């Protein structure tokens, strides 16, 4: 009897480990104005991996949304300078996808005017224009989509800014990557791709 129960318990443990539910990498940005959650796209693997790497290193946790423009974007990470993204730890080749566009809530990678259209590893933005920003398609890489917290992005882009579009009161970032199941994503209002 004991041997049968032990084998049954072992079988249940093995089956449950084999059928572990799939999880999805989700970008999480905590700000003084609230939390933003977005799915990271598998279709842009280098940008996804870069975001996960820097989030796990807490790269952005001392930085801010440094450029916010109402009806355009909330941009965070390393500041863009007249010399370009001189503080970026590295640059990424573009990963443009016809099926991924600059719609409301799209998360993209910033870049300067370099001819190769390389993204700054440190810079990201969230499209806040409700009609999207089609003029940025195939010029900037979109690597995610906000599914919770666009009200927070709207509040961020509504703050008072200086002549360089930097918020007068800094909006700090705490960036993480969390793993959610398809069920947890649906409960938060998002259907996984």
């Amino acid at each position: 009897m004991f041997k049968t129960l032990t084998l049954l318990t072992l079988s249940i443990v093995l089956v449950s480990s084999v059928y572990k539910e799939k999880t999805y990498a989700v970008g999480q940005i905590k700000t003084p104005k609230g939390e933003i959650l977005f799915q990271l796209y598998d279709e842009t693997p280098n940008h996804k991996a870069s975001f996960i790497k820097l989030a796990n290193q807490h790269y952005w946790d001392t930085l801010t949304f440094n450029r916010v423009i109402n009806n355009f974007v909330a941009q965070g990470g390393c500041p863009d300078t007249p010399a370009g993204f001189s503080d970026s730890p590295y640059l990424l080749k573009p990963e443009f996808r016809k099926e991924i566009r600059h719609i409301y809530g799209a998360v993209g990678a910033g870049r300067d005017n370099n001819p190769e259209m390389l993204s700054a590893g440190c810079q990201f933005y969230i499209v806040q224009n409700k009609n999207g920003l089609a003029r940025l398609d195939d010029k900037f890489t979109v690597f995610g989509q906000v599914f919770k917290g666009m009200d927070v992005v709207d509040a961020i882009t509504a703050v008072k800014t200086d002549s360089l579009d930097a918020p007068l009161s800094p909006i700090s970032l705490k960036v993480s990557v969390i793993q959610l199941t398809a069920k947890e994503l649906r409960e938060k209002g998002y259907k996984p791709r």
Side-chain angles (χ1 to χ4, degrees):
M1 178 74 167
F2 177 73
K3 189 175 181 179
T4 304
L5 284 175
T6 304
L7 286 174
L8 180 61
T9 303
L10 182 59
S11 297
I12 291 170
V13 169
L14 287 174
V15 168
S16 64
S17 67
V18 169
Y19 292 105
K20 187 175 180 182
E21 191 170 0
K22 179 180 177 179
T23 60
Y24 298 84
V26 173
Q28 178 187 54
I29 304 171
K30 291 183 178 179
T31 76
K33 300 217 176 268
E35 177 188 60
I36 302 163
L37 295 177
F38 61 94
Q39 186 174 1
L40 293 159
Y41 290 143
D42 291 336
E43 295 89 340
T44 54
N46 295 328
H47 283 73
K48 177 181 178 176
S50 172
F51 187 87
I52 291 170
K53 173 185 170 182
L54 292 179
N56 288 340
Q57 292 175 350
H58 305 283
Y59 179 87
W60 290 290
D61 290 357
T62 59
L63 300 174
T64 64
F65 275 104
N66 58 285
R67 181 174 176 239
V68 300
I69 304 172
N70 196 25
N71 208 31
F72 185 53
V73 299
Q75 184 171 311
C78 60
D80 43 346
T81 68
F85 291 105
S86 58
D87 291 336
S88 185
Y90 49 81
L91 300 176
L92 298 166
K93 290 183 180 176
E95 294 181 288
F96 305 139
R97 299 290 180 261
K98 292 290 180 197
E99 69 277 13
I100 301 174
R101 306 280 89 182
H102 280 84
I103 62 172
Y104 181 65
V107 181
R111 68 172 180 82
D112 57 17
N113 289 324
N114 70 81
E116 297 89 12
M117 297 188 195
L118 302 173
S119 304
C122 61
Q123 188 68 254
F124 64 87
Y125 59 86
I126 302 169
V127 174
Q128 192 265 334
N129 185 306
K130 292 197 187 325
N131 296 318
L133 296 169
R135 65 189 162 100
L136 301 182
D137 290 341
D138 303 317
K139 295 180 179 77
F140 295 81
T141 297
V142 173
F143 63 93
Q145 178 65 41
V146 173
F147 61 86
K148 181 178 181 280
M150 280 308 293
D151 57 328
V152 175
V153 177
D154 291 341
I156 290 169
T157 60
V159 301
K160 292 186 178 188
T161 59
D162 64 18
S163 61
L164 298 175
D165 301 312
L168 295 179
S169 296
I171 301 170
S172 61
L173 302 168
K174 179 158 177 39
V175 179
S176 304
V177 174
I178 58 176
Q179 297 291 323
L180 296 177
T181 65
K183 180 182 177 192
E184 291 168 326
L185 283 170
R186 282 191 299 275
E187 287 170 355
K188 294 185 180 298
Y190 190 75
K191 183 178 178 185
R193 291 173 59 93

